[in-house]
Amino acid sequence: MSDTAGGLKLPNQPLDNGVKLPLVFEAPRRGKPPRHWADLDHDERVAALSTLGLPAFRVDQIDRHLFERLDVDPRLFTDLPSSVRDDVAAALFPELLHPVRDVTCDGDETVKSLWRLHDGALVESVLMRYPDRNTLCVSSQAGCGMACPFCATGQGGLQRNLSAAEIIAQVIDAAGRLRRGEVSGGPGRLSNVVFMGMGEPLANYRTVVRSLRMMTEPAPRGLGMSARGITVSTVGLVPRIEQLAGEGMPVTLAISLHAPDDELRDEIVPINTRWKVSEVLDAAWHYAEVTRRRVSIEYIMIRDINDQPERADLLAAELKRRGDFGWFHVNLIPLNPTPGSVWTASRRSVEKEFVRRLEARGVPVTVRDTRGREIDGACGQLAALER
Ligand code: SAH
């Protein structure tokens, strides 16, 4: 037998001969995660329970456990008949996120969690506590197919899309930890979710929208979060931005622009060869018009690559061309250098001049704080949209 794993040739012998191969040789089994309660809509939940011989009114009870009490283990759902708790657990509540480790920094106010999925893929989420809000940065894919050269995740390629339940499980875990006071700073409530972890959320569109609905739907069928507190960040998949504008869910949109001109953006955000700066900004403008939500323009400051004063002027001009500045907000992000990359963050003086030029033209701009730097955000790319 011969097989390959991660490009490595495996020995030409059966693997079940009792010899434990080092971890690096174990081929990850990429595949669809097992079905979970949080993958299903209401009718599907009714149907799933009926195959276990349970009546429809149990759906509400289970929803309340999961979405209101943030309880994830049906064996502890004492209002279910004890004879069926194990069946519900086995059929509908598989463990999706296996905790690998937590790393904390910023005086324990930032917690990065590394999770192993059922097929061995690894994803991260980051919880950040602030005086006025608690923000969770979630992953929507294992890996990412967008290949942005400054981003560590982009270098590894796409492994697979996460399921809705794998996304929601990150949120329920964080909300539960906050509620139970397990995070430094005392009990709290999860107020914000940003899709700025691994993956391109709009490349996993249907599932991400399903997870958004579950987050915003009132309890007991969902987590009852405010759409205003949720941010979807994208490289700029134009047709999907248009589609999201029509979902009737006014989540905040963030565009990872990083360059105001096609020549540079083609290099640093490769999907730009498909949808140009002007198309992305038009779609963003349209999104703001339809949802009445201010769109965030993300701009990583990379030393001597995209931080020239002319680019600040061009960015301001591109935004101004589309009307009132009130609908855009520019968020500058100091580059978090990834291992092996020659790129580094802009000098402070250059960053200041960039800010000055935008402000001089009336563009609302902030420099994002760099929570989680010491713990590497997630592969140097997880950071919250913080103004
Ligand atoms: N794919 C989506 C969401 C994930 S990335 C997107 O591109 O928007 C979330 C944010 O982190 C994006 O703005 C991305 O450009 C930024 N980012 C990626 N690598 C980074 C790095 N090394 N330093 C700082 N920000 C980074």
Side-chain angles (χ1 to χ4, degrees):
M1 180 180 92
S2 119
D3 198 357
T4 53
L8 293 171
K9 205 86 182 125
L10 288 179
N12 212 4
Q13 61 183 43
L15 298 182
D16 55 359
N17 58 0
V19 179
K20 187 102 185 86
L21 286 166
L23 206 59
V24 66
F25 284 104
E26 283 176 14
R29 282 174 293 111
R30 301 280 174 241
K32 226 171 132 70
R35 183 177 74 152
H36 187 280
W37 189 257
D39 287 312
L40 310 178
D41 64 23
H42 184 74
D43 291 346
E44 291 165 342
R45 288 173 194 163
V46 172
L49 284 193
S50 108
T51 64
L52 296 177
L54 288 172
F57 77 88
R58 298 283 180 200
V59 171
D60 226 48
Q61 280 180 323
I62 296 178
D63 279 346
R64 278 182 204 284
H65 278 289
L66 188 61
F67 297 119
E68 276 186 357
R69 297 191 204 120
L70 309 171
D71 293 336
V72 294
D73 183 357
R75 282 163 299 203
L76 307 176
F77 295 177
T78 47
D79 51 358
L80 288 186
S82 56
S83 56
V84 299
R85 285 180 217 155
D86 284 343
D87 294 347
V88 172
L92 294 159
F93 283 78
E95 185 194 42
L96 296 176
L97 306 178
H98 184 75
V100 177
R101 68 171 162 273
D102 281 353
V103 193
T104 59
C105 72
D106 302 318
D108 289 348
E109 291 192 326
T110 303
V111 187
K112 177 169 86 167
S113 303
L114 179 65
W115 306 106
R116 193 181 7 259
L117 308 182
H118 84 103
D119 57 355
L122 294 172
V123 296
E124 294 173 345
S125 45
V126 181
L127 178 58
M128 288 154 286
R129 296 206 78 169
Y130 296 91
D132 60 334
R133 65 195 183 286
N134 297 305
T135 302
L136 181 72
C137 183
V138 293
S139 296
S140 56
Q141 298 183 311
C144 184
M146 297 297 126
C148 301
F150 53 82
C151 170
T153 305
Q155 306 320 295
L158 176 65
Q159 290 156 26
R160 69 169 168 85
N161 285 332
L162 298 197
S163 64
E166 285 171 326
I167 296 171
I168 289 290
Q170 296 171 60
V171 179
I172 289 178
D173 172 78
R177 284 201 223 190
L178 278 167
R179 168 134 9 127
R180 295 187 298 268
E182 291 168 14
V183 187
S184 165
R189 191 180 70 84
L190 183 67
S191 53
N192 296 68
V193 171
V194 297
F195 282 78
M196 291 192 174
M198 291 178 176
E200 166 50 45
L202 297 190
N204 185 12
Y205 185 84
R206 277 186 34 198
T207 297
V208 164
V209 167
R210 191 171 256 234
S211 77
L212 291 173
R213 291 206 190 286
M214 228 171 282
M215 285 178 219
T216 53
E217 198 161 341
R221 292 192 186 176
L223 289 166
M225 297 184 71
S226 159
R228 311 173 77 83
I230 301 175
T231 297
V232 173
S233 180
T234 177
V235 288
L237 307 186
V238 167
R240 297 305 193 196
I241 295 173
E242 304 285 358
Q243 201 174 343
L244 190 64
E247 298 284 353
M249 231 180 346
V251 294
T252 301
L253 180 70
I255 303 285
S256 294
L257 195 70
H258 309 327
D261 54 300
D262 288 323
E263 196 184 351
L264 178 57
R265 197 166 191 268
D266 281 350
E267 297 294 323
I268 62 179
V269 184
I271 198 73
N272 196 71
T273 55
R274 177 72 185 79
W275 290 289
K276 297 296 174 194
V277 169
S278 61
E279 295 172 272
V280 174
L281 289 180
D282 284 347
W285 171 249
H286 179 241
Y287 187 88
E289 256 184 342
V290 171
T291 60
R292 314 310 286 173
R293 302 286 299 137
R294 196 152 79 152
V295 172
S296 202
I297 303 294
E298 309 290 295
Y299 200 104
I300 298 180
M301 298 293 286
I302 315 175
R303 186 179 295 187
D304 300 332
I305 301 287
N306 67 347
D307 60 359
Q308 303 82 358
E310 313 83 76
R311 286 209 158 85
D313 295 347
L314 182 58
L315 176 59
E318 283 296 333
L319 299 183
K320 182 139 204 174
R321 241 170 18 92
R322 291 172 173 80
D324 185 356
F325 278 141
W327 294 111
F328 289 115
H329 174 104
V330 174
N331 203 15
L332 300 179
I333 313 159
L335 177 81
N336 194 358
T338 54
S341 168
V342 293
W343 288 347
T344 179
S346 300
R347 290 179 182 83
R348 278 308 281 238
S349 56
V350 171
E351 183 185 283
K352 273 200 174 135
E353 177 60 11
F354 206 92
V355 170
R356 195 192 65 74
R357 285 188 177 240
L358 291 173
E359 281 177 344
R361 286 158 186 78
V363 181
V365 53
T366 44
V367 180
R368 186 193 281 177
D369 81 357
T370 48
R371 274 289 181 100
R373 278 222 121 160
E374 313 128 58
I375 53 171
D376 234 3
C379 359
Q381 78 142 19
L382 274 184
L385 171 73
E386 300 304 344
R387 342 198 130 144

